[in-house]
Amino acid sequence: MRNTVLIPTYRRPLDLSRCLLALQAQTRPVSQAIAIVRDTDTETWQFLSQFNPHNLPLQIVKVTQSGVVAALNAGLAAVEGDIISITDDDAAPHPDWLEKITAHFTADSCIGAVGGRDWIHHGSKLEDDSRLVVGQLQWFGRVIGNHHLGVGVPREVDVLKGVNMSFRHKAIETLRFDERMRGTGAQVHFEMAFTLTLKRAGWKIIYDPSIAVDHYPAQRFDEDQRRNFNETALVNLVHNETLVLLEHLPPIRRAVFLVWALLVGTRDSLGLIQWLRLFPSQRQLVGKKLLASWRGRWQGWQTYQELGIRN
């Protein structure tokens, strides 16, 4: 099986260098590597003009639109491999990454997607906690991630994480990442929309924690600054999550999700109970988070309704 690796990148030449060097060191050679680069990203263009690809068949795709969704869709248009693996520019796949990915797709023709663990590094500190429940969509709409903490045997899941996910080309040849995902960079939950669509089509989605990348979360150059609160970023995150779940849950579960989301929610997408729980420690900040979360829910509902009207 020929493999293609997609790496969307933006203004992180040092991180991209580490990623490409890790791809050069794969025990199963890369058949095609595609770096998707913004037209305005002079730092990355300069780096790539001097980079020695050595044994890495590197192809560069230019994209003029911001956001990871546009970048990945541009990359998909240039794919030649039977397996498409996606990682971030601030990640470094382990040497056996492609070898283990290919083994899953070869062993079972019903597998449409494979993902694994991203070992997160914060400077010299490594997040080394462990979780058995990974990538699950609960019946009422709560999504459990934990991809960076997963342990145990390979198993079927509902969603994968963008930094470490691979697809059978045959399974996704008619699919593209959802351009309605909001955000000018990370576009949080874009991978959930994609993997849930694949699962609904009947393909198996496998999470194997031994398929690993080292992840060094780097600076983002958009409104989403990871741990720092930004109202626009939170509205976008909740909008994307709401839209995806409304489209993929059946009617009764969809109604339950809306009630749960508004009244309970999660630490990232707040409902009323989460606001009460966090108020003693966050005070005014948690009020801003609650209002931004409710705005995101409303805007996600509006986007969902617009799709229904058009259809």
Side-chain angles (χ1 to χ4, degrees):
M1 283 185 166
R2 285 172 50 83
N3 57 70
T4 295
V5 181
L6 299 183
I7 314 110
T9 185
Y10 184 62
R11 296 179 61 187
R12 297 171 176 172
L14 294 179
D15 294 289
L16 179 60
S17 176
R18 179 179 55 221
C19 180
L20 295 177
L21 290 172
L23 293 178
Q24 288 177 331
Q26 291 294 300
T27 56
R28 182 181 180 89
V30 179
S31 305
Q32 179 190 28
I34 300 176
I36 307 105
V37 186
R38 285 274 298 280
D39 57 339
T40 56
D41 186 358
T42 54
E43 302 166 68
T44 302
W45 285 107
Q46 183 177 1
F47 160 72
L48 288 171
S49 69
Q50 300 169 353
F51 178 75
N52 179 7
H54 188 42
N55 63 336
L56 186 68
L58 182 62
Q59 180 179 344
I60 304 171
V61 170
K62 179 165 68 175
V63 64
T64 58
Q65 186 178 343
S66 64
V68 66
V69 167
L72 288 175
N73 284 340
L76 286 177
V79 162
E80 298 174 357
D82 305 298
I83 298 171
I84 303 163
S85 297
I86 298 172
T87 192
D88 291 346
D89 54 5
D90 60 358
H94 288 195
D96 59 0
W97 187 59
L98 288 177
E99 185 176 344
K100 289 185 173 180
I101 288 168
T102 304
H104 277 290
F105 285 113
T106 303
D108 187 347
S109 61
C110 294
I111 293 176
V114 173
R117 180 165 182 167
D118 60 310
W119 289 87
I120 296 183
H121 298 253
H122 298 287
S124 60
K125 184 180 178 182
L126 176 67
E127 290 193 33
D128 59 356
D129 203 349
S130 61
R131 297 287 188 278
L132 289 174
V133 180
V134 174
Q136 294 294 325
L137 172 59
Q138 295 182 296
W139 70 271
F140 55 91
R142 177 170 175 252
V143 180
I144 299 175
N146 291 338
H147 298 85
H148 64 300
L149 301 174
V151 294
V153 299
R155 63 271 200 184
E156 285 195 52
V157 295
D158 299 313
V159 296
L160 298 177
K161 188 175 181 180
V163 68
N164 188 0
M165 59 183 185
S166 301
F167 302 96
R168 189 184 299 274
H169 195 179
K170 179 182 176 183
I172 67 166
E173 57 187 352
T174 61
L175 295 181
R176 288 297 179 268
F177 290 94
D178 192 340
E179 295 179 353
R180 297 169 303 162
M181 296 290 101
R182 290 189 181 173
T184 58
Q187 295 179 281
V188 179
H189 295 309
F190 78 93
E191 62 270 77
M192 180 167 66
F194 198 77
T195 50
L196 286 178
T197 298
L198 201 61
K199 183 140 186 133
R200 286 179 65 188
W203 292 94
K204 291 181 184 177
I205 299 176
I206 301 296
Y207 174 84
D208 181 351
S210 75
I211 297 174
V213 304
D214 287 311
H215 192 185
Y216 306 86
Q219 179 184 0
R220 287 175 173 170
F221 299 94
D222 64 356
E223 65 280 347
D224 186 353
Q225 295 299 305
R226 299 186 190 276
R227 297 183 184 276
N228 295 325
F229 171 69
N230 178 282
E231 182 180 351
T232 300
L234 182 54
V235 171
N236 288 340
L237 179 154
V238 179
H239 165 275
N240 295 347
E241 178 189 67
T242 304
L243 174 60
V244 172
L245 294 174
L246 288 175
E247 291 195 336
H248 289 278
L249 291 172
I252 294 177
R253 291 173 61 191
R254 191 183 305 147
V256 173
F257 160 68
L258 287 172
V259 173
W260 169 82
L262 294 174
L263 295 183
V264 183
T266 67
R267 178 177 284 270
D268 292 328
S269 306
L270 274 68
L272 190 59
I273 291 177
Q274 290 290 346
W275 172 76
L276 289 170
R277 185 175 71 86
L278 296 172
F279 182 78
S281 60
Q282 297 188 21
R283 296 291 175 174
Q284 289 185 337
L285 177 60
V286 75
K288 294 178 181 179
K289 290 181 179 179
L290 177 65
L291 291 177
S293 296
W294 280 353
R295 280 181 57 201
R297 296 295 183 203
W298 171 245
Q299 292 178 16
W301 169 261
Q302 288 180 308
T303 303
Y304 170 71
Q305 290 293 102
E306 288 170 5
L307 178 66
I309 292 170
R310 286 199 300 270
N311 292 340

